[in-house]
Amino acid sequence: MSKIINNEKDHGQPHILVVDDEETLRYLIREGVERSGYGCSVASDGFEALKILEEKGADVVISDIMMPGMDGIELARRIKEEHDADVILVTGFADEYSYDRVIEIGVSDFLEKPIGIDELILRLRRVLRERTNIRERNRAEKELRGSLKKLRTAMESIVEAMVLAIEKRDPYTSGHQKRVATLAGAIAKEMGLSQDQIDGVRMAGMIHDIGKNAIPGQILSKPGKLTELEMGMMKEHSQIGCDILKGIEFPWPVAQMVLQHHERIDGSGYPQGLLGNETYLGAKILAVADVVEAMASHRPYRAAVGLDKAMEEISKHRGILYDPDVVDAGLKLLREKGFEF
Ligand SMILES: [Fe+2]
């Protein structure tokens, strides 16, 4: 539970809570704090301090360590767990506490008694300054995260629009890219890739056949087998896709993954005949997802071959055409986890 600090209601003036079982010291510090223009509350022990924090919060708590009931170390720990306040600890027995241990709890500063009020106020100012800096940095980071999220959403919408444009022209593979993207993303996840990598693979999957936009419609929807010439033209879609996308600065190598999605790890794929170790992992994932999806669904020139045949195809060529880890993850999803497009 994090508390909202109450300094706003005190006309923007920071509020300090002083905790000490010694009354004289408590008031001496309070006087110094108030003279410096800060609001101040006092508490004579840890329990009272927590109650005040609960009720009205504070920006900084200045606390003694040796106190009956709850010592300053325990109080500091509870404050760091339950409240959004900085802590400065003060002790007459500094030798008994290691600086590292105190700082480890999250305490901002540590002073030895007898304390000079001027020194304490200087340290308090530094803690308040850092607090303001951190708060401003957090606010800036939050704004930046918000802008990045908006940009990402815009990028996704643009990609969706591109997908729609392709599918308008090639209704037969309508949905193919989306389903490949879904399966490729699930395989990437199954392989333990980071969320960022998963997002990249999914994005490349969404537009991996964008180059088909440049292929004549009668080839795309031709029932029956393609001639060698037509097949040659069809194969150009990987390079065309890459050419279309390479000017876009995606946060992932989308153009390269699209270029390589028909490569096979033994070098028998196209357009470059790359080997497994020369191909992006994302492209190897797309290759498997593409084959499985294509076999599992209908095409103008043939009925669906079926998911069983698709699984047979990737197992048979595991480690030959397709990356073995990608195949294993894909089979696990389809066989054991009941993956559905
Ligand atoms: Fe393709």
Side-chain angles (χ1 to χ4, degrees), residues 78-307:
R78 298 247 335 238
I79 291 173
K80 296 317 285 183
E81 269 173 26
E82 299 164 18
H83 298 276
D84 175 25
D86 280 283
V87 180
I88 298 176
L89 285 181
V90 177
T91 182
F93 307 91
D95 293 346
E96 289 176 23
Y97 303 96
S98 94
Y99 189 79
D100 288 351
R101 204 188 127 224
V102 171
I103 296 301
E104 206 172 274
I105 306 169
V107 168
S108 304
D109 211 339
F110 184 43
L111 268 92
E112 204 173 335
K113 280 184 187 173
I115 49 164
I117 289 296
D118 291 347
E119 166 78 6
L120 177 65
I121 297 299
L122 276 179
R123 305 261 196 124
L124 174 62
R125 287 220 165 94
R126 181 186 62 79
V127 169
L128 283 167
R129 213 164 34 239
E130 277 172 13
R131 191 174 168 76
T132 310
N133 289 345
I134 290 172
R135 212 179 290 170
E136 272 165 14
R137 200 172 60 215
N138 287 347
R139 190 167 36 225
E141 271 174 16
K142 201 175 155 200
E143 274 172 21
L144 194 64
R145 267 199 302 274
S147 312
L148 273 176
K149 203 172 160 206
K150 271 189 212 152
L151 267 178
R152 212 161 167 139
T153 312
M155 181 178 73
E156 277 163 19
S157 315
I158 292 167
V159 169
E160 292 247 354
M162 287 160 102
V163 172
L164 273 178
I166 304 167
E167 289 177 355
K168 282 260 179 296
R169 216 178 143 249
D170 178 18
Y172 298 104
T173 54
S174 172
H176 163 70
Q177 296 190 110
K178 265 189 190 163
R179 288 192 298 268
V180 168
T182 308
L183 177 57
I187 293 176
K189 190 172 178 200
E190 184 65 34
M191 291 177 76
L193 302 194
S194 68
Q195 188 55 51
D196 185 59
Q197 289 171 302
I198 297 170
D199 292 344
V201 169
R202 201 180 286 137
M203 181 66 72
M206 292 285 285
I207 39 178
H208 72 276
D209 276 341
I210 190 170
K212 285 193 177 170
N213 240 19
I215 311 295
Q218 55 284 25
I219 298 183
L220 289 179
S221 53
K222 182 182 172 183
K225 232 174 168 309
L226 297 181
T227 65
E228 206 168 308
L229 184 72
E230 289 166 337
M231 194 45 131
M233 288 174 79
M234 188 68 140
K235 282 182 174 179
E236 280 175 27
H237 80 279
S238 304
Q239 184 64 56
I240 298 169
C242 174
D243 292 343
I244 293 171
L245 298 168
K246 69 183 176 198
I248 304 176
E249 283 209 27
F250 284 106
W252 315 281
V254 172
Q256 288 302 312
M257 287 192 263
V258 168
L259 176 68
Q260 300 175 354
H261 79 275
H262 284 286
E263 297 290 357
R264 298 293 179 250
I265 63 167
D266 62 356
S268 65
Y270 65 86
Q272 300 175 94
L274 298 179
L275 294 170
N277 59 4
E278 300 168 316
T279 312
Y280 278 95
L281 178 58
K284 293 189 272 193
I285 295 174
L286 287 182
V288 169
D290 192 15
V291 166
V292 170
E293 200 290 325
M295 289 179 79
S297 52
H298 292 273
R299 283 292 181 276
Y301 42 89
R302 58 151 174 77
V305 183
L307 201 53

Side-chain angles (χ1 to χ4, degrees), residues 17-29 41-49 61-73 75 89-93 97 113 115:
L17 171 60
V18 176
V19 195
D20 202 306
D21 56 327
E22 248 181 85
E23 196 181 352
T24 335
L25 201 57
R26 215 158 55 220
Y27 287 99
L28 190 71
I29 298 176
S41 307
V42 290
S44 57
D45 61 40
F47 300 103
E48 197 190 344
V61 179
I62 300 173
S63 175
D64 187 17
I65 294 188
M66 294 284 279
M67 293 183 294
M70 183 193 303
D71 70 8
I73 302 267
L75 174 63
L89 285 181
V90 177
T91 182
F93 307 91
Y97 303 96
K113 280 184 187 173
I115 49 164

